[in-house]
């Protein structure tokens, strides 16, 4: 049985999250890596057994500390205790003997500058390369590129020893540097890592900032590698990088990489960064940030409220990347951030980060390309979780956001920033506006709480630079302070499967968007409207082409769906209910909107409201709420003007017909003294000045009275012509008679007040009634079935008075139903 010594060191103290010690608290001891419980524990003398290991009592000189003890046959352990949440908490410690034996082993195997290790790290043969752990797993020795270059382990727990090992790897053309468990204080900053190097921090290894400056940089200050030719093929993994913002409150990076390709940082924790970024990749191709936690941030002077934990940037100038030049505007490409987490650390004097992953500088025609963000969790951020600034060909998926200021932002170049329009080394802008970006996918986003800074998803271009080719899907936002979706100057886009629950503004807001499709969007609760399309004062006003299909809005404090301006906006198969305002509102000079199959109920205003500046409205199939339509000439028939496309094409301009001329292939002869009514479809707002019919092969003989009339769908007469008395009506002659009287009295025209079925009436009293061109006739027993048409009143001569008490024709059925060709102009 070999005993190894633990405890009795400054880090072996149990404290609360606020730094208070926890005395007399029981702890379990487990084998590091396997988690097996260690039961053979002894006091420092190595003979007295310990039944339950506890922290020192409150009256001890070191309350809450773990006293020195020994464990049998265990080189590295993990303390375990139950935290306030009830879940087990563990932390790692390596034995004193292991560190000593490792140094002795190194002394027998390596010279001062390092060498290749193929077996044990200590003389006793107890610490093997394969037994060191990274995230509880043995070191991954796979990959010939790494193992063939040799392994180096710093000879002491100092920054100088670590830099010596990194230099040795550089001098050998590359290598693998393994950092053993322990606390490594680095005061000579930055640590410099070079091409073809793998830097591995084992479990229990903590590299701490002990001075001002960036902690890790790939290369030297005076190097001049342009493009992606700098120090690359670098892997950094494991352990903890503690930037100690509270102790060193000056802005600095934790890790900074520039002008390189094949950079990977994985399976590590970055703590308490001040001012700048946890990881910056500048002018980098094929960068990977995998399973990294960035916890804790400090804004040193109140001017760095926009810093990202992970940032990509371009080589624009020393103020953008201070490590080295050249400043040639090289952007990043092929960047993957996956399985990472950003949030607070709990360290006193620090907060969570402002932003998770993003960019905040740009140059003309230098977008970052091929960016992927996957399985990303953020908590407590004050701004965006992902802020893509001039990113193109980008996929953002699998975000879980809790109490963050905003979610995902995609932005084209901001033309209001002079620096963004000026290239590296330039003295003035080379472009005047923004620039377009294409191909962005945002999928599988869940945001709970927060939203005090901006929307859960915001995609924003400019009139001079649209975002094109955007696909947003599977977004859930719950109880957030602003919009779920905010789209500005976006084109050729789709939005699918979105749930917005409890938004502090309009749930889905679109400004200046065109050629877009929204499907399966559900809004429940919004301090504002549900879904809007606003094209006022934007290029989209003349070509909107936005369809909202299969969506629903409830609980909004304004209109369910609101359309301002634009052309060819469709609201189709949607629901609006239990909200304040209109179910659907269309206003501000919108052209050719379509509202169909919309269901509205329990709205405080009309189910559908259309203002008088809207033109060419098409609406039908909407139930059951009321409709207020003040637009000009709306079409409420699902069949356009009531006929097929060919018949509609052959309708004379300005003429409304009872039947198409293409169908009028016969003629019928009305009975003398009977008022015949023929149905006609008229839009609201149509100004009718003339009514007409056409005689067939038989002329009128000895007429005494004949006149035409216009009635509504209840057969109430709205307008009529003057009585033509004994005037002749020859065969094969069109008679278009002017309006002479309306419900308002004498007048020359009548303006319709609704869209739908009306009737044109004809009454001829003569010895021989002229035949009238039409489509045919049916028996009165069929024509009289409601709503009916054909003969109404018999025994008539002079026209009735329309004004005053008015006149309503009798029920149909006194004569056959004649489908006469009549028209209104």
């Amino acid at each position: 049985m070999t005993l190894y010594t633990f405890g009795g060191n400054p880090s072996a103290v149990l404290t609360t999250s606020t730094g208070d010690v926890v005395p007399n608290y029981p702890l379990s001891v487990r084998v590091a890596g396997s988690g097996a419980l260690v039961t053979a524990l002894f006091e420092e003398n190595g003979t007295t057994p310990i039944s339950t290991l506890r922290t020192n009592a409150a009256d001890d000189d070191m309350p809450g500390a773990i006293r020195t003890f020994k464990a049998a046959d265990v080189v590295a352990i993990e303390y375990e205790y139950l935290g306030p949440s009830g879940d087990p908490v563990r932390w790692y410690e390596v034995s004193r003997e292991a560190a000593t034996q490792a140094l002795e082993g190194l002394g027998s195997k390596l010279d001062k500058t390092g060498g290749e290790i193929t077996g044990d790290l200590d003389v006793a043969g107890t610490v093997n390369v394969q037994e060191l752990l990274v995230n509880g797993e043995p070191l991954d020795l796979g990959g010939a590129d790494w193992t063939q270059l040799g392994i180096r382990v710093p000879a002491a727990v100092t920054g100088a020893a670590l830099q010596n090992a990194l230099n040795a790897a550089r001098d050998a053309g590359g290598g693998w540097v393994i950092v053993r468990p322990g606390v490594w204080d680095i005061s000579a900053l930055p640590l410099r890592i070079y091409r073809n190097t793998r830097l591995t921090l084992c479990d229990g290894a903590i590299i701490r900032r002990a001075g001002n400056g960036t902690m890790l940089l790939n290369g030297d200050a005076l190097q001049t590698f342009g493009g992606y030719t700098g120090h690359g093929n670098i892997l950094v993994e494991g352990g903890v990088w503690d930037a100690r913002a509270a102790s060193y409150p000056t802005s600095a990076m934790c890790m900074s990489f520039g002008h390189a390709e094949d950079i990977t940082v994985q399976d590590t924790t970055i703590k308490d960064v001040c001012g700048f970024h946890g990881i910056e990749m500048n002018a980098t191709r094929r960068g990977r940030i995998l399973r990294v936690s960035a916890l804790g941030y400090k804004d040193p002077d109140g001017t760095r409220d926009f810093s990202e934990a992970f940032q990509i940037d371009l080589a624009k100038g020393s103020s953008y990347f201070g490590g080295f030049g050249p400043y040639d505007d090289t952007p990043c490409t092929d960047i993957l951030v996956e399985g990472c987490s950003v949030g607070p650390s709990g360290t006193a004097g620090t907060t969570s980060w402002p932003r998770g992953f993003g960019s905040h500088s740009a140059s003309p025609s230098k977008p970052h390309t091929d960016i992927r963000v996957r399985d990303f969790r953020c908590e407590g951020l004050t701004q965006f979780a992902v802020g893509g600034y001039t990113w193109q060909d980008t996929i953002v998926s699998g975000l879980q956001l809790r109490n963050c200021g905003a979610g995902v932002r995609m932005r084209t170049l901001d033309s209001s920033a002079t620096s963004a329009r000026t290239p590296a080394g330039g003295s003035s802008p080379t472009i005047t506006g923004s620039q377009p970006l294409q191909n962005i996918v945002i999928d599988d986003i869940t945001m709970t709480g927060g939203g005090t800074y901006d929307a859960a998803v915001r995609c924003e271009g400019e009139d001079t630079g649209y975002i094109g080719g955007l696909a947003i899907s599977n977004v859930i936002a719950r109880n957030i302070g602003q919009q779920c979706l905010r789209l500005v100057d976006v084109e050729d886009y789709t939005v699918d499967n979105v749930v917005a629950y409890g938004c502090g503004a309009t749930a889905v807001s679109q400004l200046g968007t065109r050629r877009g499709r929204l499907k399966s969007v559900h809004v429940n609760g919004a301090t504002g409207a549900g879904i809007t399309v606003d094209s006022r004062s934007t290029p989209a006003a003349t070509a909107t082409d936005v369809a909202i299909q299969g969506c629903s809005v409830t609980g909004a404090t304004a209109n369910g769906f609101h359309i301002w301006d634009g052309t060819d906006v469709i609201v189709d198969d949607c629901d609006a209910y239990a909200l304040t305002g209109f179910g659907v509102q269309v206003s501000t000079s919108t052209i050719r909107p379509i509202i169909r199959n919309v269901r509205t109920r329990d709205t405080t205003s009309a189910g559908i409201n259309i203002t008088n500046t809207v033109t060419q409205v098409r609406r039908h199939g909407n139930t059951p709420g009321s409709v207020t339509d003040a637009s000009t000439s709306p079409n409420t028939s699902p069949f356009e003007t009531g006929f097929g496309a060919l018949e509609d094409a052959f309708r004379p301009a300005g003429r409304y017909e009872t039947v198409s001329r293409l169908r009028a292939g016969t003629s019928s002869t009305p009975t003398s003294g009977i008022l015949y009514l023929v149905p006609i479809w008229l839009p609201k707002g149509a100004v009718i000045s003339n009514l007409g019919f056409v005689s067939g092969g038989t002329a009128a003989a000895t007429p005494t009275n004949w006149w035409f009339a216009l009635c509504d769908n209840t057969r109430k007469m709205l307008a009529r012509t003057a009585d033509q008395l004994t005037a002749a009506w020859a065969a094969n002659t069109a008679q278009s008679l002017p309006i002479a009287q309306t419900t308002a009295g004498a007048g020359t025209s009548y303006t319709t007040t609704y869209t739908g079925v009306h009737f044109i009436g004809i009454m001829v009293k003569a010895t021989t009634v002229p035949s009238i061109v039409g489509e045919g006739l049916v028996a009165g027993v069929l024509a009289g079935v409601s709503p009916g048409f054909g003969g109404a009143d018999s025994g008539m001569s002079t026209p009735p008075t329309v004004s005053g008490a008015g006149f309503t024709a009798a029920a149909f059925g006194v004569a056959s139903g004649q489908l006469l060709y009549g028209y209104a102009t």
Side-chain angles (χ1 to χ4, degrees):
M1 179 177 70
T2 304
L3 297 179
Y4 292 92
T5 307
F6 302 91
N9 61 77
S11 63
V13 179
L14 184 59
T15 62
T16 66
S17 60
T18 59
D20 300 322
V21 299
V22 183
N24 196 31
Y25 200 84
L27 302 99
S28 299
V29 177
R30 297 186 179 274
V31 178
S34 70
L37 185 66
V38 180
T39 57
L41 302 179
F42 300 90
E43 298 289 356
E44 187 175 9
N45 59 24
T47 58
T48 305
I50 299 174
S51 59
T52 300
L53 181 65
R54 290 179 175 271
T55 59
N56 290 340
D59 58 356
D60 192 273
D61 289 341
M62 297 181 64
I66 302 171
R67 66 187 183 277
T68 302
F69 70 95
K70 295 182 182 292
D73 301 321
V74 181
V75 177
I77 65 169
E78 289 180 328
Y79 296 105
E80 180 181 85
Y81 65 93
L82 291 180
S85 65
D87 295 327
V89 178
R90 295 182 180 182
W91 84 86
Y92 176 92
E93 184 177 323
V94 67
S95 71
R96 300 178 190 176
E97 292 80 5
T100 302
Q101 291 169 352
L103 291 174
E104 293 173 351
L106 286 170
S108 66
K109 297 175 182 291
L110 302 177
D111 58 21
K112 293 181 180 180
T113 60
E116 184 172 348
I117 295 177
T118 57
D120 297 327
L121 296 181
D122 63 340
V123 174
T126 57
V127 181
N128 191 282
V129 174
Q130 285 84 352
E131 293 177 354
L132 290 173
L133 304 178
V134 176
N135 287 327
E137 299 293 333
L139 284 175
D140 179 10
L141 300 179
D145 289 343
W146 297 114
T147 57
Q148 291 176 0
L149 294 174
I151 299 174
R152 288 171 174 78
V153 180
V157 187
T158 66
L162 180 52
Q163 185 62 66
N164 286 339
L166 292 170
N167 292 345
R170 173 200 61 196
D171 297 340
W176 186 358
V177 177
I178 299 175
V179 180
R180 295 173 291 105
V183 177
W184 302 67
D185 284 339
I186 312 298
S187 58
L189 296 173
L191 285 171
R192 299 186 185 273
I193 189 170
Y194 302 92
R195 66 181 80 246
N196 304 325
T197 299
R198 179 177 184 178
L199 174 60
T200 300
L201 279 64
C202 295
D203 289 357
I206 303 173
I207 296 180
R208 302 195 311 178
R209 187 160 74 119
N212 295 326
T214 293
M215 296 185 71
L216 182 67
L217 180 67
N218 68 320
D220 298 315
L222 299 180
Q223 69 184 40
T224 57
F225 300 111
Y228 306 111
T229 63
H231 290 280
N233 194 27
I234 291 172
L235 170 61
V236 180
E237 63 182 344
V240 176
W241 294 77
D242 188 351
R244 303 174 73 190
S247 299
Y248 298 91
T250 56
S251 294
M253 307 281 189
C254 179
M255 301 181 190
S256 190
F257 304 94
H259 285 300
E261 59 184 10
D262 298 312
I263 301 292
T264 299
V265 181
Q266 65 182 28
D267 301 312
T268 191
T269 297
I270 295 172
K271 286 186 59 179
D272 300 336
V273 172
C274 184
F276 292 158
H277 310 289
I279 300 173
E280 174 171 357
M281 291 188 177
N282 188 298
T284 299
R285 178 164 59 196
R286 293 190 299 277
R288 305 289 183 263
I289 302 174
L290 310 175
R291 301 174 300 280
V292 174
S293 295
L295 307 176
Y297 172 79
K298 182 178 180 64
D299 183 349
D301 54 11
T303 65
R304 296 289 302 184
D305 61 349
F306 56 85
S307 284
E308 299 90 353
F310 311 130
Q311 189 209 24
I312 57 175
D313 208 343
L314 70 168
K316 190 174 176 72
S318 59
S319 61
Y320 299 85
F321 183 78
F324 43 75
Y327 299 112
D328 56 5
D329 256 351
T330 301
C332 288
T333 185
D334 189 2
I335 305 297
L336 172 64
V337 175
E338 184 173 37
C340 296
S341 180
V342 178
S345 66
T347 302
T350 68
T351 65
S352 187
W353 282 84
R355 301 178 181 180
F357 172 42
S359 304
H360 53 257
S361 58
S363 281
S365 304
K366 295 292 182 180
H368 303 295
T369 57
D370 302 340
I371 314 300
R372 286 99 66 216
V373 189
R374 299 173 179 161
D375 301 332
F376 192 46
R377 183 186 184 275
C378 297
E379 180 176 356
L381 309 186
T382 55
Q383 294 188 13
F384 296 102
V386 176
Y389 184 36
T390 66
W391 291 7
Q392 187 160 285
D393 302 308
T394 296
I395 299 174
V396 178
S397 66
L399 267 60
Q400 290 182 309
L401 313 177
R402 186 170 297 279
N403 296 321
C404 293
V408 179
R409 180 190 69 169
M410 292 291 146
R411 180 69 163 90
T412 62
L413 186 146
D414 184 355
S415 63
S416 68
T418 301
S419 62
R421 295 185 287 114
T422 304
S427 59
S428 60
T430 58
I431 60 174
T432 58
S434 183
Q435 294 180 317
L437 293 174
Q438 290 83 34
N439 307 337
I440 296 173
V441 174
I442 300 172
D443 176 61
D444 190 16
I445 311 297
T446 301
M447 181 171 176
T448 304
T452 56
Y453 184 78
D454 211 324
V457 176
R458 181 187 186 98
C459 297
E460 182 174 358
E462 295 188 15
D463 291 353
T464 53
Y466 270 66
I467 292 178
L470 171 68
I472 300 174
S473 58
N474 302 310
V475 176
I476 299 176
R478 178 176 289 269
N479 299 328
I480 62 175
Q482 296 197 39
Q483 300 99 338
C484 176
L485 302 183
R486 172 66 168 163
L487 307 181
V488 179
D489 286 341
V490 174
E491 62 186 5
D492 302 311
Y493 64 98
T494 62
V495 174
D496 197 8
N497 293 329
V498 172
V499 177
Y501 186 99
C503 295
T506 293
V508 178
S509 173
Q510 301 166 91
L511 173 64
T513 61
R514 56 197 183 196
R515 298 187 300 278
R517 298 293 180 267
L518 281 72
K519 293 178 60 178
S520 301
V521 175
H522 174 64
V523 177
N524 185 350
T527 306
I531 299 174
T532 65
V533 179
D534 188 352
S535 303
R536 293 172 293 180
S537 302
T538 72
T542 56
T544 308
D545 188 20
V546 174
I548 303 170
Q549 299 172 307
C551 300
S552 58
V553 177
T554 184
T557 62
N559 304 319
F561 303 85
H562 196 155
I563 315 301
W564 287 277
D565 208 344
T567 303
D568 297 325
V569 178
I570 300 172
V571 181
D572 180 28
D573 190 25
C574 293
D575 293 88
Y577 57 97
L579 52 82
T580 301
F582 302 107
V584 179
Q585 163 92 327
V586 185
S587 62
T588 321
S589 303
T590 304
I591 301 172
R592 289 196 304 273
I594 297 177
I595 304 97
R596 63 191 179 204
N597 303 323
V598 173
R599 297 162 294 277
T600 62
R601 64 183 186 275
D602 299 330
T603 61
T604 61
S605 300
I608 297 174
N609 184 66
I610 304 171
T611 66
N612 60 7
T613 62
V614 179
T615 58
Q616 303 179 59
V617 174
R618 286 167 289 174
R619 58 177 176 82
H620 59 82
N622 304 300
T623 58
S626 62
V627 176
T628 302
D629 187 347
S631 67
T632 301
S633 302
N635 178 6
T636 61
S637 167
F639 307 106
E640 300 300 329
T641 56
F643 304 117
L646 182 60
E647 287 88 343
D648 190 51
F650 267 79
R651 180 169 58 88
R655 177 181 290 191
Y656 302 96
E657 300 175 307
T658 59
V659 298
S660 170
R661 290 179 300 144
L662 299 180
R663 298 182 184 181
T666 186
S667 62
S668 303
T669 303
T671 300
S672 177
I674 292 181
L675 172 63
Y676 288 83
L677 299 182
V678 187
I680 187 172
W681 188 278
L682 296 176
K684 177 184 176 181
V687 180
I688 306 301
S689 301
N690 295 274
L691 303 173
F693 288 90
V694 180
S695 63
T698 302
T702 318
T704 59
N705 307 93
W706 58 281
W707 43 268
F708 306 151
L710 176 66
C711 299
D712 68 11
N713 56 12
T714 67
R715 305 184 309 283
K716 177 183 178 182
M717 195 169 289
L718 305 173
R720 65 167 175 80
T721 69
D723 189 351
Q724 304 303 301
L725 301 171
T726 61
W729 189 349
N732 301 314
T733 302
Q735 293 287 358
S736 180
L737 305 181
I739 297 294
Q741 188 183 85
T742 71
T743 52
T748 58
S749 67
Y750 176 82
T751 302
T752 57
T753 60
Y754 69 93
T755 297
V757 173
H758 294 71
F759 292 96
I760 293 183
I762 179 174
M763 200 295 299
V764 180
K765 184 177 181 182
T767 303
T768 301
V769 176
S771 59
I772 305 298
V773 172
E775 195 172 0
L777 56 82
V778 296
V781 67
L782 293 177
V785 176
S786 180
F789 63 98
D793 292 87
S794 60
M796 300 196 74
S797 56
T798 58
T801 300
V802 177
S803 60
F807 171 82
T808 299
F812 299 111
V814 301
S816 62
Q818 299 188 10
L819 291 171
L820 306 176
Y821 175 79
Y823 57 90
T825 60

